[in-house]
Amino acid sequence: MRSRIRGRLRAWATVGVTLAVVAGTAAAAPAESPHSDLGPDITAIMNKPAYKHAQWGLLEVDTESGRTVHSMNPDQFFMPGSTVKLITISSAWHALGPDHRFTTPVNAIGQRNGSTLTGNLALLAQGDLTMGGRTKPDGSVDFTPIDHTYADDIPGATLTPEDPLAGLDEIAHQVRDSGITTVDGDVVIDSRLFAPPPISPTPTPLIINDNVIDLLSTPTSPGQPAQLSWRPQVAPYQVTSDVRTVAAGGTTDIQVAASPDGTKITLSGTIAADSPPALKISQVQDPNAFGRTALIEALGRAGVTVTAPPTGPNPDATLPASYAGDPQVAAFVSPPYRDYAKLILNVSHNLGANLALCNMAVTVGSKNCFDGFPVVHDFLTKTANVDPTQFQQADGRGDVPVDRVTPEGLNQLLAYWLHTPDADAFRTSLPILGVSGTGALFCATDCPAKGKVFAKPGTIIGFDLLNQQLAINAQTYAGYLEADDGHLYTFFVGVNGAAAPNIQGFFDVNDDVDEIAVILQQEACAERDGGRPHHKAFTSAGRPPARTGRP
């Protein structure tokens, strides 16, 4: 039973979730609070048995008057999970600018003789999160409610339809348009922009398809092999599948194994005949070698021949000290950073959040990604006027034990945005309850607050070996509540130290936090209308019947 629960725990460790076998550290909830007048509905939720030893935090503020509507433990530290991304991305948005575009150039090193370059092409990686792999025809960045980067952890993760190699293909065509048809030499990735930091997932200067290979298994007839498709298909990566289709209602359980260098991938297991396609991923171990080969192959598709072998290590030892005198023959330009921020916040993109630290470090001339933290500190103190000691942070995503936030600190940060020209852009970059990103997974049907809560969730769960139950160290939610007349409130609601006997209990905690946000939104509507709230619970009728975990 224990292995089954732990296996399912891993499967449901969701977008914005930190999964660790740790014990809850929150203090016991106080019996009374001077700000505990939260009404019977919220009080009933907080008094459930799952929260016997837990600590709740709640703060709601009327952004126009500054009036505190509800408050509980507003100045206490809480384990935040992915609500940390509000701090990271706010800082990066300010440091880079919402209109910032990453320009990834390619320089020709050597001598040109007609259409032949005798020398190398160097791609100077610039920390572009998607390299065109999610760019829609209208120029915006695509995403789904459950991102492919979580495919090993969450059933229901899906792919966007865009070609993950689109940026490299565009670069290759630009090289051809520059007049080069033969490279008598090599292709090299210049990844000297920053040193990949020791955080997980590890950001790299060149990122193609989030540094993963997508593996999609589709059931066929019972007893027959499942259909396999995978992307991006780049040499020398090879994928084989022994996944078999079993009868409808059977078990879908697919395992992925890879060689030490990541280039030989094998799938095994079963998929039920009535199952939707099942997505898994495998990590790219050497993003620079992968990117080099992918670019050589893209050049070939564009009609440019490279004489060097297409596979093998990235020849970074051949990089020049500078590119003075080496002409630029191509450049890929990213969508604006506001679109990347929307992606990161909507799907809780962990790689993108950690990359934001590196992007900020680069703005101050550093190759050390942790030099992004002084940029965050300066933004909080000098721009947002938020006391930085209300936060503790050691990564960009909210994945390390150090990370802490206070409800007051996050409310102040959220309030800052409302006095900037980017107020609407930032608010709508957050998941919208019942509508977009991870918010689309909840409050989707019979829910009065649908489209009225703009907020980032965060979750930290582990398995309590002593008591053989789930330790829900953190379930948090922070953002904006919108009344029917458009009036906005900032809010934080979260619990640390909850416990649940099984996965369903974990879902119930998710629902309780969501339910409180819905109650607050409905109360705000009633207050603006001068009437009494008519709250209707959504956790049974309003959520999808099959849960996919809490992003």
Side-chain angles (χ1 to χ4, degrees), residues 213 215 228 230 237-241 263-267:
I213 304 295
L215 311 161
L228 169 70
W230 61 282
Y237 282 74
Q238 300 175 352
V239 182
T240 58
S241 175
T263 63
K264 294 180 175 56
I265 303 168
T266 303
L267 285 75

Side-chain angles (χ1 to χ4, degrees), residues 174-225:
Q174 290 183 30
V175 172
R176 178 64 180 83
D177 291 344
S178 76
I180 296 175
T181 60
T182 301
V183 178
D184 188 8
D186 212 333
V187 169
V188 57
I189 305 300
D190 186 338
S191 63
R192 295 177 292 185
L193 184 69
F194 60 79
I199 52 179
S200 178
T202 303
T204 51
L206 180 67
I207 297 172
I208 304 296
N209 200 46
D210 298 311
N211 291 341
V212 300
I213 304 295
D214 297 315
L215 311 161
L216 190 67
S217 298
T218 301
T220 55
S221 300
Q224 297 301 310

